[in-house]
Amino acid sequence: MKNIFLICIFALSLSGFSQNKKTSNFETITLGGGCYWCVEAVYENLDGVKSVVSGFSGGNVANPTYEEVCTGTTGHAEVVQITYDKNVTDINEIFKVFFTVHDPTTLNRQGADVGTQYRSVIFYKNEEQRKAAQSIIAELNKAKVYNNPIVTKVEPFKAFYKAEDDHQNYYANNKNQPYCRMVIQPKIEKFEKVFKDKLKKK
């Protein structure tokens, strides 16, 4: 039921989005929604997204490795840093995708991935991003789209550390691995169903 509700809300919102501007205007947002392999694979297919980089934010250790973050002791979340063209997509659409493809109601976990590194978090870089994040969270909670309250944190961006090269474009390079087939592929299929009019042309 909640998926149908999400589709209806987002379809109405997206129908009014204008793409008539001509000059490019790039902006960056950093999001954590569980395993960054999953989130990266989804946003790579959203029209208007220039780049998606997997990495870490929100911790207290500079330049952490993947192994260090996995211990849960560095304070970092697995995140993706998304650079997008505001003339093709916008921050509200970025957030609508975010709240469609992960569960924002489970604290420090997504499915079988458990730990603070898998927390749901938005690291905003300006007031527009902060207000948009708080607005959509309030809207979804008010509409009771989920059975439980949203636990997504909205925090100011401080630093981003790029993950090792073998963690970039992970799904594209490892489609036949069990995790990719069983965990990432269903998220991509859900995204493609809800945002079918916003997919990159292949």
Side-chain angles (χ1 to χ4, degrees), residues 123-170:
F123 293 104
Y124 64 86
K125 293 188 176 181
N126 53 50
E127 276 299 290
E128 178 190 12
Q129 292 181 353
R130 182 186 68 80
K131 290 179 180 178
Q134 292 176 337
S135 176
I136 192 169
I137 290 172
E139 179 183 349
L140 293 172
N141 275 330
K142 182 178 180 181
K144 298 187 184 301
V145 172
Y146 304 98
N147 293 328
N148 299 301
I150 291 173
V151 297
T152 304
K153 298 293 185 182
V154 178
E155 303 176 2
F157 174 84
K158 293 181 179 178
F160 171 79
Y161 301 102
K162 182 180 177 182
E164 295 87 339
D165 288 345
D166 57 341
H167 290 277
Q168 308 299 328
N169 300 308
Y170 188 85

Side-chain angles (χ1 to χ4, degrees), residues 32-34 39 97-104 110 120-121 146 152 187:
V39 185
V97 172
F98 181 66
F99 285 106
T100 298
V101 299
H102 90 295
D103 184 350
Q110 285 294 304
S120 178
V121 60
Y146 304 98
T152 304
K187 290 179 181 288

Side-chain angles (χ1 to χ4, degrees), residues 106-110 113-120 151:
T106 53
L107 186 64
N108 298 330
R109 74 175 300 160
Q110 285 294 304
D113 294 323
V114 181
T116 56
Q117 67 269 34
Y118 300 115
R119 64 188 182 271
S120 178
V151 297

